[in-house]
Amino acid sequence: MSDGRIPALTLWRPWTACFTALPEHAAKRHENRSWGTSYRGPVFLHAGQRWDSTALQVARRIVRQFDDGLDVDRLLPAGPAAYPTGVVAVADLVAVCSLSRWSASHRCDCGPWAFPGQWHWRFANVRALPEPVPCRGAQQLWYPPADVVAAVEAQLAEAVAR
């Protein structure tokens, strides 16, 4: 993945909203995967079609650990209709922690968004797009088509110009 193109990562909804809809001090900045990667750099965060029915309950519990005063029900509303699909953000993958991957007894300091027994992909500089860019997702890291990349880049450029 050193050819200069930006890969995408598909997450089940509503996990992408935990990156984009929450204030920085409570936002999700770790993604849990059963596999690691040596890639570091920008990644398009893609909200897939699939809905994780337990995610809102888990996310709300985690957010309350950061800030019990947040109106988490407003920030993370119930139901899949509130969560669009497509590329919703760009973030920088800065590290991948594998400490807890090998055993539940090995703990890392990645925080409450990082689940035991998983690789913890740490993201920084999350830039939510004003409008999701529709496209199909895929497993693993994948490359979006050129028209999707152009639409994402146009939104980012417009946001910087403001």
Side-chain angles (χ1 to χ4, degrees), residues 6-156:
I6 298 175
L9 183 67
T10 298
L11 289 73
W12 293 357
R13 293 175 303 139
W15 290 115
T16 46
C18 297
F19 279 92
T20 61
L22 298 170
E24 186 62 34
H25 71 281
K28 186 177 199 292
R29 292 297 178 255
H30 286 85
E31 172 59 15
N32 300 286
R33 294 284 148 165
S34 61
W35 50 281
T37 181
S38 61
Y39 175 80
R40 301 296 180 272
V43 175
F44 293 157
L45 298 181
H46 177 266
Q49 292 288 329
R50 188 171 234 168
W51 176 258
D52 183 344
S53 60
T54 62
L56 283 178
Q57 179 182 5
V58 172
R60 288 173 176 162
R61 181 180 42 79
I62 292 171
V63 170
R64 286 185 180 107
Q65 291 178 35
F66 288 103
D67 188 341
D68 196 34
L70 279 178
D71 186 357
V72 71
D73 294 331
R74 180 186 57 79
L75 294 168
L76 297 173
Y83 302 91
T85 60
V87 176
V88 296
V90 180
D92 297 327
L93 178 59
V94 296
V96 176
C97 173
S98 64
L99 288 177
S100 80
R101 169 69 179 112
W102 306 112
S103 165
S105 65
H106 288 94
R107 293 287 183 190
C108 66
D109 61 356
C110 291
W113 287 109
F115 301 159
Q118 298 287 305
W119 295 83
H120 305 149
W121 294 31
R122 186 176 342 141
F123 288 93
N125 194 24
V126 176
R127 284 118 30 225
L129 299 177
E131 294 293 326
V133 177
C135 72
R136 293 180 59 106
Q139 294 184 351
Q140 301 286 327
L141 286 172
W142 54 276
Y143 292 105
D147 62 325
V148 170
V149 173
V152 170
E153 290 175 345
Q155 285 193 43
L156 291 174

